[in-house]
Amino acid sequence: MANSALILGGGGVTGVAWELGLLTGLAEAGVDLATADLVVGTSAGAAVAAQITSGTPLATLYAAQLAPRDTEITARIGLAVMATFGLAMLRTRDPQRYRAHIGAKALAARTVPEAERRTVISSRLPSHTWPDRRLLITAVDAASGEFVVFDRDGGAGLVDAVGASCAVPMVWPPVTIAGRRYIDGGIRSATNADLAAGYERVVVIAPIPGGTGPMASVATQVAALRQAGAQVLVIAPDKAARHAIGRNVLDPARRAPSARAGRAQAVAVAASAAAIWSP
């Protein structure tokens, strides 16, 4: 078995902030999860994964979450989008067909231009080059519904891979990579924790820990990892963090409160994280 894996899940712009706050607080408590042998990023977690593997200190990344950022775009996952997800789940239980249906809706939706959204993603990343460390970024092919995992050897640039993973269907535009269009990796699973198969020690940071219908749940994937012999810790937002995040995970105004809540929560989970992370 390989050694350690850090799984960073989806959760919008507030998820990015909460995860970075949590990672910073844990590092301050002596548990530096950013040292993982494998880092897997999905949606918001993809942005965090690219940041923490860039060589930039966690304290610097955390401070950036507290500062105003003019490049962010306020958005909301509205009732119509939620209804589309619900109807797609009623139409099929097949995960790939479900993802293809959502992909078709994403391709047809009116959103901001792809280049405008790419500017936002680019501004979030301190480095636009894939790290030497093992970093996996998840996405979904919008046309076929196929689950895709990008890495440094796959031909996709880091900014585009992260952008694809963060492309919330019907909210943000699908991302074009080598002639294909890609959407949010969270459409397959909020964390895609099963990519840590074969690793001994796994920490899953999940702003959204659930799973619905054809979307694989975090609990199911974690159970499989544990059955294979891995030690796994799942960290989700506590009550104070959920209050700080609020109801709209895409609201940039909630970034700073979410980051502070993540850092504060680290105190309560540091011992559990240390028990998993220490050899």
Side-chain angles (χ1 to χ4, degrees):
M1 266 192 171
N3 210 357
S4 59
L6 173 63
I7 310 296
L8 299 165
V13 68
T14 57
V16 172
W18 174 75
E19 290 183 25
L20 285 170
L22 183 72
L23 289 168
T24 300
L26 286 173
E28 291 169 342
V31 188
D32 188 359
L33 300 183
T35 61
D37 298 311
L38 168 70
V39 181
V40 177
T42 292
S43 197
V48 177
Q51 290 184 49
I52 67 170
T53 57
S54 69
T56 307
L58 279 171
T60 301
L61 298 173
Y62 172 76
Q65 295 302 308
L66 306 182
R69 187 176 298 166
D70 296 335
T71 56
E72 292 288 355
I73 306 170
T74 301
R76 179 180 292 276
I77 302 175
L79 291 177
V81 173
M82 296 303 297
T84 299
F85 279 108
L87 290 172
M89 290 179 185
L90 293 175
R91 289 184 58 176
T92 180
R93 293 182 178 273
D94 180 86
Q96 186 164 342
R97 288 183 180 178
Y98 165 75
R99 296 192 297 265
H101 180 78
I102 295 299
K105 295 294 185 182
L107 290 169
R110 289 187 176 184
T111 65
V112 300
E114 188 175 339
E116 184 176 338
R117 175 63 176 164
R118 191 181 193 278
T119 298
V120 173
I121 299 298
S122 178
S123 72
R124 290 179 182 171
L125 307 185
S127 171
H128 297 170
T129 303
W130 285 92
D132 293 333
R133 295 168 53 200
R134 184 158 170 71
L135 169 63
L136 302 181
I137 301 295
T138 68
V140 168
D141 186 301
S144 69
E146 179 185 1
F147 178 57
V148 177
V149 180
F150 295 112
D151 61 19
R152 61 173 298 164
D153 300 320
L158 182 60
V159 173
D160 290 328
V162 172
S165 193
C166 293
V168 180
M170 295 163 280
V171 176
W172 304 124
V175 171
T176 305
I177 300 175
R180 304 291 296 179
R181 307 290 301 284
Y182 296 94
I183 57 173
D184 198 320
I187 301 306
R188 191 242 186 188
S189 162
T191 62
N192 294 297
D194 56 328
L195 293 178
Y199 284 77
E200 295 175 347
R201 298 175 287 115
V202 183
V203 174
V204 180
I205 298 181
I208 302 174
T212 306
M215 298 171 63
S217 72
V218 176
T220 299
Q221 293 181 336
V222 165
L225 293 174
R226 287 176 174 151
Q227 187 174 12
Q231 299 180 65
V232 187
L233 173 67
V234 179
I235 305 175
D238 60 12
K239 183 177 180 180
R242 292 194 300 272
H243 178 74
I245 289 168
R247 294 186 177 184
N248 181 13
V249 300
L250 301 181
D251 183 1
R254 307 304 299 175
R255 284 171 53 247
S258 299
R260 293 189 182 99
R263 188 180 181 188
Q265 184 178 348
V267 175
V269 299
S272 298
I276 289 282
W277 216 243
S278 299

